[in-house]
Amino acid sequence: MPKKAYECGSCNDVHSTHYAAEQCCQPEVSDVWLCDTCEEAHDEKDDAEKCCVGKVKARGIETVRCPACFRDQELVQHAIEIEVAGHCSECNPHYSVDDTFKIGDLVDQQIAENLERSL
């Protein structure tokens, strides 16, 4: 669930309390919504909810460990790369043309499923 934050109207720094934003540069303060995943500030709550909907792993597994670099990956993109090619793009960004298309199709499919669940 996105959390509400407060943005300084002068320097655009994001603060956790309205008071801190008011005291920052003493300008007008705007209410913003933070994405759960990347914590990017959005003007609308719906935008914050949909910001990283395609990035969070949503297949019931918290993380997937890359067998090549042993990093724990949480993003849909990396999990699908590991599933299709046996490694993530952080350790080896090179894939065959067929794997590239398959990864793209599966990521798009997962994003669509995530969007349907969030609506």
Side-chain angles (χ1 to χ4, degrees), residues 26-58:
Q26 305 232 342
E28 180 181 332
V29 175
S30 304
D31 294 354
V32 293
W33 296 91
L34 300 179
C35 171
D36 286 339
T37 304
C38 69
E39 296 206 356
E40 181 178 339
H42 298 273
D43 292 331
E44 300 295 325
K45 184 177 180 181
D46 288 344
D47 293 339
E49 287 176 343
K50 294 176 183 175
C51 178
C52 288
V53 74
K55 296 181 183 174
V56 178
K57 182 97 175 95

Side-chain angles (χ1 to χ4, degrees), residues 53-54 59 76-77 80 100-116:
V53 74
R59 291 187 178 183
V76 169
Q77 175 78 29
I80 290 174
T100 301
F101 282 113
K102 188 172 185 178
I103 290 166
D105 290 343
L106 289 172
V107 168
D108 290 343
Q109 179 183 354
Q110 188 67 40
I111 290 171
E113 289 173 13
N114 289 355
L115 278 172
E116 287 174 14

Side-chain angles (χ1 to χ4, degrees), residues 1 7 14 16 23 29 32 34 45 48 51 55 57 61-63 66 75 79 82 84 86 102 105 107 110 115 117:
M1 187 85 187
E7 186 176 51
V14 175
S16 60
Q23 298 304 310
V29 175
V32 293
L34 300 179
K45 184 177 180 181
C51 178
K55 296 181 183 174
K57 182 97 175 95
I61 301 170
E62 290 295 319
T63 62
C66 177
L75 303 182
I82 293 166
V84 170
K102 188 172 185 178
D105 290 343
V107 168
Q110 188 67 40
L115 278 172
R117 280 188 220 130

Side-chain angles (χ1 to χ4, degrees), residues 58-76:
R59 291 187 178 183
I61 301 170
E62 290 295 319
T63 62
V64 175
R65 179 159 289 176
C66 177
C69 66
F70 301 107
R71 289 183 179 106
D72 288 330
Q73 302 290 4
E74 294 179 340
L75 303 182
V76 169

